[in-house]
């Protein structure tokens, strides 16, 4: 728009925002506490002569965090494993073996013992490869480096889901929103119901106190609280 001023001069309206009207910078968002679902990465160095299983299990128990072993490098000696090809067959491997693959999980109490386990594949001095589930001490022959992730929040699920349960969850308000407080509360109630059914019907939680099962549900502060009874 043009305006004609005195003397026939044309005054043009300035374009853009007026001076000083620009958006002011917002203060940065600072996260002062980790989320309950956050994963932490750990590079663990286990000293010569130490038991890998005992070391990681103690770490999980003292820190009250679940541990997921992703890989490991180093040498171990005198390994006791259960080979998958022979159910119930336990083999003791004497000598030094190099770790090719190491994976597993460690959960502190009150998680069931079946939730903790370690699988290893080894290479011998003659080039042979052997592996299975670790059922005894896993002693380091020199430093062993383990890459792991830890977590403080886990949900117990029973699979496969029944059609009635799946249809009911689809119809729940906020059931599809993982961050919705409504959906989280309903999910925890469903998990408590499933845990109670597992305790009454057998399985991993057979014989567990119902109150202990309820304590496994995960508050925002963490999964495992100090002072709870172990299995």
């Amino acid at each position: 728009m043009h305006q004609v001023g005195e003397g026939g001069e044309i005054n043009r309206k300035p374009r853009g925002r007026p001076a000083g009207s620009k958006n002011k910078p917002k203060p940065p968002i600072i996260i002062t506490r980790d989320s309950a679902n956050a994963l932490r990465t750990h590079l663990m160095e286990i000293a010569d002569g130490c038991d890998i299983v005992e070391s990681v299990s103690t770490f999980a128990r003292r820190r009250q965090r679940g541990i997921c072993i992703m890989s490991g490098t180093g040498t171990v000696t005198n390994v006791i494993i259960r080979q998958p090809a022979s159910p119930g067959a336990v083999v003791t491997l004497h000598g030094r073996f190099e770790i090719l693959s190491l994976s597993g999980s460690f959960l502190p109490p009150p998680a069931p013992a079946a939730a903790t386990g370690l699988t290893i594949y080894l290479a011998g001095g003659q080039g042979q490869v052997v592996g299975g589930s670790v059922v005894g001490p896993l002693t380091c022959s020199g430093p062993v480096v383990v890459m792991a992730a830890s977590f403080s929040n886990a949900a117990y699920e029973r699979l496969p889901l029944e059609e009635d349960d799946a249809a009911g969850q689809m119809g729940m308000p906020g059931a599809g929103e993982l961050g919705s407080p409504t959906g989280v509360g309903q999910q925890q109630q469903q998990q408590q119901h499933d845990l109670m059914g597992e305790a009454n019907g057998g399985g991993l939680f057979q014989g567990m106190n119902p109150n202990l099962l309820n304590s496994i549900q995960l508050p925002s502060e963490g999964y495992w609280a100090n002072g709870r009874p172990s299995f």
Side-chain angles (χ1 to χ4, degrees):
M1 180 181 292
H2 304 286
Q3 296 180 354
V4 180
E6 297 180 358
E9 295 181 358
I10 299 176
N11 298 327
R12 295 183 178 182
K13 186 177 181 180
R15 297 181 179 180
R17 295 180 177 179
S21 65
K22 293 184 178 180
N23 294 334
K24 297 181 180 180
K26 298 180 180 180
I29 300 175
I30 301 176
I31 300 175
T32 58
R33 190 176 70 176
D34 291 340
S35 169
N37 295 321
L39 289 175
R40 296 179 184 175
T41 306
H42 302 269
L43 185 62
M44 303 177 177
E45 182 177 354
I46 304 174
D48 180 21
C50 295
D51 181 5
I52 298 176
V53 176
E54 179 63 25
S55 299
V56 178
S57 178
T58 302
F59 179 87
R61 185 177 65 255
R62 291 183 178 180
R63 297 292 179 89
Q64 287 297 293
R65 294 182 66 86
I67 304 297
C68 179
I69 303 296
M70 296 181 288
S71 65
T73 57
T75 305
V76 293
T77 182
N78 299 335
V79 184
I80 304 176
I81 60 173
R82 179 183 294 111
Q83 293 186 317
S86 304
V90 176
V91 179
T92 301
L93 305 175
H94 298 281
R96 299 173 71 252
F97 298 85
E98 183 179 355
I99 299 175
L100 298 179
S101 174
L102 185 67
S103 61
S105 60
F106 293 81
L107 273 67
T116 294
L118 197 61
T119 301
I120 193 170
Y121 284 87
L122 305 165
Q126 304 297 326
Q128 69 273 27
V129 176
V130 63
S133 301
V134 179
V135 293
L138 190 59
T139 306
C140 301
S141 179
V144 171
V145 177
V146 174
M147 180 64 70
S150 69
F151 51 90
S152 62
N153 197 350
Y156 172 72
E157 304 287 352
R158 295 182 63 189
L159 301 179
L161 293 175
E162 297 182 1
E163 295 182 0
D164 295 341
D165 294 339
Q169 291 181 358
M170 289 296 293
M172 290 181 181
E177 302 175 4
L178 296 179
S180 170
T182 302
V184 172
Q186 291 171 344
Q187 182 182 10
Q188 289 183 349
Q189 292 178 1
Q190 180 64 32
Q191 291 169 358
Q192 288 180 354
H193 180 269
D194 293 342
L195 286 171
M196 292 297 296
E198 184 73 10
N200 295 330
L204 296 178
F205 296 92
Q206 184 176 8
M208 273 185 78
N209 188 338
N211 294 331
L212 182 58
L213 285 175
N214 291 335
S215 69
I216 293 180
Q217 298 311 310
L218 317 176
S220 59
E221 293 297 330
Y223 188 151
W224 306 278
N226 292 328
R228 293 183 178 176
S230 59
F231 278 78

